[in-house]
Amino acid sequence: MNAERQTVYRWSLIWSGALVALVGAVLLGVAITQSDAWGRVAGVLGLSALGWGALIQTLQSLGLSALQSTALRSSIQIVGARYLLLGAAAWLVGWAVIASGIRRAPEASAEGPSPAAGAALYPRLAQYRDFYWSTLGAYGGGILLAELVLILLQTFLSSGGGAGGEGGGLPPTGAFAVSLIVSSLVAFASGFVGASRARRLSMPEATIGVIYFGLPVPVLLTLVEQVPDLQVSLGYRLREVTYVAELLGRPVVGYWLVFSLLVLMLVLGLNTGFIAAGSGRLDLKLRFELFVARRHVGVFRPSLLLGTLAVLMFGIVPPLIVYGIIRSVEAAVERSRIRALGLKDPLAAASALNRLKLREQSPTMMMTALSVGGVGVGVMALIIVLSVMSGFEEDLQKKILGAHSHVVVSKYAGHLPEYKRLMEQIAKVPGVAGQTPSIDNPVMVLAEGDEVQGIVLKGIDPATVGSVLDLRKNMLPGGELDNLTTPEKIAPRRAFGGFGNPSTQQDEEEEEQESEDPIIGKSTKSAQPKVLPGIILGRELATIMRVVVGDRVNVISPQGAELGPAGLIPKSRAFRVAGIFYSGMYEYDAKFAYILLDEAQKLFSTDGPSGIELKVADVDDARRIATLVSRELGGYPYRSRDWGEIHRNIFSALRLEKLVMGIILSIIIVVAAGLIVATVIMLVLEKRKEIAVLKALGVSDGGIVKIFLAEGLQIGVAGGVLGLFSGLVWCLFIERVGIKLDPSVYYIPALPVKIEPLQTALAVVIAVLVTYLASIYPALKASSVEPVEGLKAE
């Protein structure tokens, strides 16, 4: 028997009932398997696991889903009806036996009523209520409302409703930021109102509200990605939400991260509401509580802050050596002073020596220093790693967008012979900074030394390509982009030196010598030497092919194949290297080549470019501008894709990697939070007498909670500020001095660093929130100390 809850457990009945219920579950499974109905009942079973199944079945029985229920029953043929009936009966009997094995113990009435029978109950216990329906409504309705506000506001702002004009919506990331802030405030306010109403944390109500009202939305969003029917019915309505979630690579990760954030804001709101209104009246003043908290922990002592900062800046060993030397000298000087004082006044010397021992042996001060240092290390590591990863992302984005356009306009099928008219229409769209036609296809390139490489050949317009791509800036000395339009200006082969097979030069010279046709007896040499069209190769591709400016290469394309005696054969054309470019990205320098747009149309046998590439004024606003371009062109058959959609995989991988690294490094802060819990608990144990005195003087439970939450927050703020300062100093050091890298491996000469204000501030906010959450439990334990218990030993 559990003496605390007065409950009797008859384990023989409980285990017997569990066995019978298990047999019933197995029989039901056999019946569903024989009927081949797992796919249809899996949803109901999943809902039942969370407690929603009974509610949905009740609604269906009331006729709200009569047609759906009829269709479901008609489509399921129960083959194992016998197993179904036996399983259902065994399941019900098993749970009935389990219920009979748990009962309340009879009231102990042998001694009769106590002398206090009929007296007024302790007010704190008399006012207690185990459940508040209004609080459940506030918590559950608040979390559901916050999710709906996020989805609807995101869609409204991204679609242009926020700007009051067609196509004038915010960028998706900006709309998401606004929507997330508003929905977080809604969740916080609902938690605050619910806790204020109940005057306690009301965790049962919060748990039920989150599970039954908060979970359906992220579960539905997750199922939309998995169930085709939901994708068809809801996918187009949630496209703005899905787009932002896909920035992390996997939308499901984004959905559940946002849900976790809203739950966190709800928890913060209900804690704040309990603290502010737990005494029965709204009390937001913190002057007295902050004063007591500062006296308790002494976080902002110069010696503690400077020592922690030294450890963060120079490592743990050198500062500890210096600290040990200084403390030894201080102790020697202090003991010498006490000895001199003892020669005059032994009693004063003994008191001074006792104070010295207490100061040196205070475990709370040591735990406080370790907690501040732990939070500082976590924040510093988070800032440094995220800044370095942001530097990599920015450098990679700059190189990718320098070699590719921001937006590509094309047809769903076919080419764009009317591209000049389309370019005139696109020029009217605000935000478009440049545009150029292009055509690209995979080909094989063959050098005269038998080197073969598969590449992407791109036809460009040299007059307009500079307004979109950085190709002209990336050209290496010895070649020019304009050589594509004037191939006769390309210098003779090997004029710039380099490597290659000398025999190829001799062969070409022999080809140019005058020869005589043996049949007609005339010279076959043309009056003008043959001018080959120009081609621009990447530096890595030129190295692989072992060619330089002026060399001849052959391009073989399966597109536009020609009819030969044996059937279709790939088309082959000869080109002369007009220039070599270097973008800094190995993949592009080894896989891309450029020729004139007209030559590409002839090679691929097309009547126009495959797309129009655009450059926009604001890279982060490319998706909205792409939408405006599609509207300007009238929609189908034209479509426009922004760089985020074209290169989604690589940038999503980078963002997901940064997120994972941030979560992993946040574990350091969580470890520091454990030290904070231990520190605050030690403070509670040390200050039980002081807590009792304060409560006897009229300080409410919320006031005691404020004191110890303030102590934990002071540790978090001190550690966060020190980590912020040291992290920024280390980032500036890496940026100015640099950490050298091998460009042939990492494509960059030094470690890049980009300090983003938002993510830097977010690291400090995470530290403060974690320390706040870590301080809640010790603060609640401190508030439960009764005056009589605290003063019992005095």
Side-chain angles (χ1 to χ4, degrees):
M1 184 179 73
N2 189 332
E4 182 179 351
R5 296 188 178 182
Q6 298 295 314
T7 304
V8 176
Y9 298 100
R10 301 181 64 180
W11 293 106
S12 58
L13 292 176
I14 292 175
W15 286 111
S16 301
L19 182 60
V20 174
L22 179 61
V23 172
V26 173
L27 293 175
L28 288 174
V30 172
I32 296 174
T33 302
Q34 290 185 353
S35 301
D36 195 19
W38 279 110
R40 300 181 181 275
V41 303
V44 177
L45 293 177
L47 293 174
S48 299
L50 295 174
W52 298 330
L55 176 62
I56 293 179
Q57 294 298 324
T58 301
L59 295 178
Q60 288 181 348
S61 64
L62 293 176
L64 298 180
S65 303
L67 295 177
Q68 180 180 357
S69 300
T70 303
L72 182 63
R73 287 192 298 270
S74 62
S75 59
I76 298 179
Q77 298 179 359
I78 301 177
V79 177
R82 180 180 59 183
Y83 293 106
L84 178 64
L85 295 176
L86 290 177
W91 177 262
L92 295 175
V93 170
W95 279 105
V97 173
I98 292 175
S100 65
I102 304 174
R103 60 186 179 86
R104 300 285 295 178
E107 296 289 341
S109 58
E111 299 180 357
S114 66
L121 187 62
Y122 177 48
R124 184 173 179 178
L125 185 60
Q127 297 174 1
Y128 177 78
R129 289 178 58 185
D130 57 355
F131 198 86
Y132 285 87
W133 286 102
S134 59
T135 302
L136 174 62
Y139 291 163
I143 191 70
L144 179 60
L145 179 62
E147 293 169 341
L148 296 179
V149 165
L150 176 64
I151 295 174
L152 297 177
L153 192 58
Q154 165 74 17
T155 305
F156 176 74
L157 294 178
S158 299
S159 62
E166 183 178 355
L170 295 175
T173 52
F176 173 73
V178 175
S179 305
L180 186 61
I181 291 174
V182 175
S183 59
S184 299
L185 292 176
V186 171
F188 181 87
S190 64
F192 186 92
V193 172
S196 302
R197 172 68 179 83
R199 299 182 186 177
R200 60 186 181 91
L201 295 181
S202 304
M203 294 308 297
E205 293 90 328
T207 304
I208 295 174
V210 169
I211 291 177
Y212 287 92
F213 294 91
L215 276 181
V217 173
V219 169
L220 179 63
L221 292 175
T222 303
L223 292 177
V224 167
E225 301 295 326
Q226 308 296 330
V227 181
D229 293 340
L230 291 177
Q231 182 68 36
V232 172
S233 59
L234 296 177
Y236 73 98
R237 299 179 184 273
L238 301 172
R239 60 182 182 274
E240 300 295 340
V241 178
T242 304
Y243 173 79
V244 176
E246 285 178 346
L247 295 179
L248 291 177
R250 299 187 62 185
V252 176
V253 177
Y255 300 149
W256 290 100
L257 280 178
V258 172
F259 172 72
S260 301
L261 177 61
L262 294 179
V263 173
L264 175 62
M265 294 302 299
L266 178 70
V267 172
L268 293 177
L270 65 90
N271 278 280
T272 306
F274 168 71
I275 295 170
S279 60
R281 58 185 179 86
L282 188 62
D283 182 14
L284 299 177
K285 297 180 181 179
L286 293 173
R287 184 177 305 173
F288 167 73
E289 289 82 0
L290 288 177
F291 171 77
V292 176
R294 285 197 302 268
R295 294 294 301 271
H296 271 192
V297 292
V299 172
F300 297 102
R301 290 176 292 130
S303 59
L304 187 147
L305 297 179
L306 292 177
T308 305
L309 182 61
V311 171
L312 295 177
M313 295 297 300
F314 305 107
I316 191 171
V317 176
L320 282 181
I321 294 175
V322 176
Y323 176 77
I325 294 173
I326 294 176
R327 291 295 297 170
S328 299
V329 173
E330 287 182 349
V333 172
E334 185 66 16
R335 290 182 182 274
S336 298
R337 184 189 68 83
I338 294 174
R339 179 179 179 278
L341 179 62
L343 296 176
K344 300 177 181 179
D345 189 350
L347 185 59
S351 178
L353 184 61
N354 187 46
R355 288 195 301 270
L356 177 62
K357 290 180 179 180
L358 289 177
R359 187 167 65 248
E360 291 178 348
Q361 298 175 0
S362 176
T364 303
M365 295 304 173
M366 178 61 68
M367 293 294 295
T368 301
L370 291 176
S371 301
V372 173
V375 175
V377 169
V379 173
M380 181 185 68
L382 201 57
I383 290 175
I384 294 174
V385 172
L386 293 182
S387 297
V388 170
M389 296 188 69
S390 296
F392 271 110
E393 183 179 2
E394 182 188 39
D395 187 81
L396 185 63
Q397 178 177 322
K398 185 183 300 182
K399 285 182 169 60
I400 290 178
L401 296 184
H404 288 270
S405 59
H406 299 168
V407 178
V408 176
V409 178
S410 60
K411 280 185 177 179
Y412 284 94
H415 295 83
L416 301 173
E418 70 282 13
Y419 72 94
K420 294 183 179 180
R421 175 181 61 82
L422 297 179
M423 292 178 67
E424 293 177 357
Q425 292 181 255
I426 294 173
K428 302 176 183 178
V429 178
V432 176
Q435 51 181 326
T436 183
S438 67
I439 181 173
D440 55 82
N441 276 305
V443 298
M444 299 289 292
V445 59
L446 174 66
E448 293 180 344
D450 294 335
E451 289 81 7
V452 181
Q453 191 74 11
I455 64 169
V456 175
L457 186 63
K458 193 168 186 176
I460 59 173
D461 179 15
T464 59
V465 71
S467 63
V468 177
L469 307 180
D470 294 337
L471 182 60
R472 191 178 297 274
K473 301 177 183 178
N474 295 333
M475 295 297 298
L476 296 178
E480 296 291 340
L481 182 62
D482 295 331
N483 288 344
L484 293 180
T485 55
T486 56
E488 63 275 4
K489 294 183 179 180
I490 301 176
R493 65 180 308 178
R494 306 303 182 196
F496 295 95
F499 45 82
N501 190 353
S503 62
T504 58
Q505 183 174 355
Q506 181 180 356
D507 293 341
E508 187 167 323
E509 291 175 354
E510 292 176 356
E511 288 178 4
E512 292 178 356
Q513 292 178 357
E514 184 175 352
S515 59
E516 183 176 306
D517 191 297
I519 298 178
I520 63 177
K522 294 184 178 181
S523 173
T524 58
K525 180 180 177 171
S526 59
Q528 296 291 336
K530 184 177 181 181
V531 178
L532 298 178
I535 186 172
I536 294 178
L537 307 177
R539 191 183 73 174
E540 303 297 335
L541 178 60
T543 303
I544 295 172
M545 304 296 297
R546 296 192 294 176
V547 296
V548 295
V549 175
D551 278 349
R552 172 179 172 175
V553 296
N554 291 326
V555 174
I556 303 173
S557 170
Q559 300 287 335
E562 298 174 331
L563 184 62
L568 293 176
I569 58 175
K571 184 178 292 186
S572 177
R573 292 289 183 271
F575 291 85
R576 194 174 298 279
V577 179
I580 296 175
F581 71 90
Y582 175 67
S583 67
M585 284 291 294
Y586 178 85
E587 289 78 6
Y588 297 141
D589 294 342
K591 294 297 181 181
F592 275 83
Y594 298 90
I595 61 175
L596 200 63
L597 181 63
D598 294 338
E599 295 293 337
Q601 292 181 216
K602 296 177 183 177
L603 177 64
F604 300 131
S605 300
T606 62
D607 55 354
S610 58
I612 301 175
E613 301 186 359
L614 310 179
K615 182 178 182 180
V616 299
D618 185 3
V619 175
D620 297 327
D621 200 21
R623 186 169 189 260
R624 185 185 65 85
I625 297 177
T627 303
L628 294 180
V629 170
S630 297
R631 292 178 181 175
E632 179 66 27
L633 298 180
Y636 187 84
Y638 304 107
R639 67 169 180 170
S640 56
R641 297 177 297 160
D642 65 295
W643 63 272
E645 181 180 357
I646 298 173
H647 308 287
R648 181 179 62 183
N649 292 337
I650 183 170
F651 287 108
S652 297
L654 286 174
R655 296 187 185 98
L656 187 60
E657 183 180 3
K658 184 191 294 186
L659 175 64
V660 173
M661 288 298 298
I663 294 175
I664 293 174
L665 291 174
S666 298
I667 297 177
I668 302 176
I669 303 177
V670 174
V671 172
L675 292 174
I676 294 173
V677 172
T679 302
V680 179
I681 289 178
M682 291 180 65
L683 285 171
V684 172
L685 296 177
E686 286 184 3
K687 307 297 182 181
R688 285 178 64 89
K689 181 179 67 175
E690 288 80 356
I691 296 172
V693 171
L694 289 175
K695 297 193 75 170
L697 293 175
V699 178
S700 64
D701 292 348
I704 300 299
V705 173
K706 289 179 187 178
I707 292 174
F708 287 94
L709 281 181
E711 293 176 359
L713 281 175
Q714 286 183 39
I715 296 175
V717 171
V721 172
L722 293 178
L724 173 64
F725 179 79
S726 56
L728 293 178
V729 170
W730 275 109
C731 288
L732 293 176
F733 174 80
I734 296 173
E735 185 178 7
R736 295 285 185 259
V737 178
I739 298 177
K740 303 302 180 182
L741 300 175
D742 186 358
S744 62
V745 178
Y746 298 100
Y747 78 82
I748 50 177
L751 195 68
V753 175
K754 181 187 178 183
I755 300 175
E756 293 186 357
L758 180 59
Q759 75 179 15
T760 302
L762 186 60
V764 181
V765 171
I766 290 175
V768 174
L769 286 179
V770 170
T771 54
Y772 176 83
L773 295 175
S775 305
I776 291 175
Y777 174 74
L780 292 176
K781 296 297 291 183
S783 67
S784 64
V785 175
E786 298 294 340
V788 176
E789 296 177 0
L791 298 174
K792 191 178 295 183
E794 297 298 323

